[in-house]
Amino acid sequence: MATINPTTSNLAEFAGKRALVTGGSRGIGAAIVRQLLDAGASVLTTARSADAKAPDGAAFVQADVRTGTEALAADAQRILGGVDLLVHNAGGARPHSGALAIPDDEWRDALDLNLLAAVRLDALLAPAMRDRGSGAIVHISSAALRPPVPPFLHYVAAKTALEAYSKGLAAELAPAGIRVNAVSPGRTTTPGGVATRDQWTALAPAVGGDVPNVPLGRDGEPDDIANAVLFLLSDQASWLTGSTLVVDGGEFTR
Ligand code: NDP
């Protein structure tokens, strides 16, 4: 397995910053939490499972972002005293057997988890950032929308909307000094990512489309994605807003 070095350009870059990262108990979210802690931030993270744990040094509250954004925003205020850096990482895909056969409740679930949780949390937390005149938000999308990966179309539709929303929100919040960007990961070695890839491989022939190779020769590691997120949160990206950084080893760029 490749060794991916976390970003170490400025270890104190986030000292004094308060960060909320959703879905930080494992995978990409946990790597983002660890890198933010290493760079000096105070971090609160969340997951659904009662037995989920945050990386050492981070505060943790159990919450389902599909239904619990108001309580989560209140927890962030109580525990951190406010949020300067907001990363919408919780998300995931469930396979379907055909685009026309996705039940309504699965559409709603995909939209709640991968789009509306972020929309609702931004609406709760960005006004205070606007009052302070600063803040940075990163939405985690998916490279699977370039082109849409067949067995996960509700997920892909939600992530496509998330990128469009992210860009529009960036324009609205730029005058207030808040930057909003997205990171679009390719297949990354996490519990969720491995399960999705296995389902994709099994279902691709039936629903059309193949599973492409990664031109750079390996799947991503969580720190590959976290490196991009920390860059976008940092002052090194101070003239970047409304962008989507695709981090996929070249998979969807061919
Ligand atoms: P994992 O499934 O490995 O981890 C997801 C994390 O989010 C866990 O901490 C999980 O904890 C939490 N979570 C899931 N659902 C909820 C919920 N409803 N409320 C609160 N927390 C939740 O996922 P990855 O690390 O692979 O993915 C992270 C993000 O990256 C997702 O948005 C995903 O769509 C995106 N992505 C990942 C790719 C990959 O290949 N890994 C590729 C493209 C995009 P718990 O289960 O306890 O709730």
Side-chain angles (χ1 to χ4, degrees), residues 22-30 45-53 60 62-67 72 88-93 109 113-114 117 140-144 155 159 162 183-194 196-197 220 222 225:
T22 64
S25 66
R26 60 173 190 259
I28 292 169
T45 191
T46 184
R48 280 166 313 178
S49 316
D51 56 352
K53 280 213 280 254
F60 176 81
Q62 186 188 354
D64 187 330
V65 296
R66 293 171 298 182
T67 52
L72 180 57
H88 298 283
N89 167 75
D109 192 61
L113 177 58
N114 295 293
I140 304 297
S141 176
S142 172
Y155 167 78
K159 293 289 197 184
L162 182 67
V183 169
S184 188
R187 60 176 112 147
T188 306
T189 306
T190 67
V194 169
T196 304
R197 185 170 57 249
I225 312 305

Side-chain angles (χ1 to χ4, degrees), residues 130 133-135 167-180 238 240-242:
R130 187 159 46 197
S134 68
K167 199 173 183 63
L169 184 68
E172 188 171 320
L173 296 183
I178 304 167
R179 296 183 301 100
V180 184
S238 61
L240 254 171
T241 199

Side-chain angles (χ1 to χ4, degrees), residues 99-237:
L100 302 178
I102 304 171
D104 250 25
D105 60 336
E106 290 187 18
W107 266 107
R108 280 198 209 94
D109 192 61
L111 291 166
D112 274 332
L113 177 58
N114 295 293
L115 171 66
L116 295 174
V119 171
R120 294 174 186 135
L121 206 49
D122 287 342
L124 289 160
L125 295 175
M129 292 181 181
R130 187 159 46 197
D131 292 345
R132 288 195 299 276
S134 68
I137 299 172
V138 172
H139 298 107
I140 304 297
S141 176
S142 172
L145 58 91
R146 299 180 177 78
V149 170
F152 305 100
L153 282 182
H154 41 3
Y155 167 78
V156 164
K159 293 289 197 184
T160 304
L162 182 67
E163 287 190 16
Y165 157 77
S166 185
K167 199 173 183 63
L169 184 68
E172 188 171 320
L173 296 183
I178 304 167
R179 296 183 301 100
V180 184
N181 291 288
V183 169
S184 188
R187 60 176 112 147
T188 306
T189 306
T190 67
V194 169
T196 304
R197 185 170 57 249
D198 290 349
Q199 290 157 347
W200 184 12
T201 306
L203 287 167
V207 294
D210 58 353
V211 182
N213 293 322
V214 178
L216 283 180
R218 63 170 176 84
D219 287 358
E221 295 298 325
D223 276 319
D224 286 311
I225 312 305
N227 286 343
V229 172
L230 260 76
F231 165 66
L232 288 171
L233 292 174
S234 77
D235 289 344
Q236 293 170 60

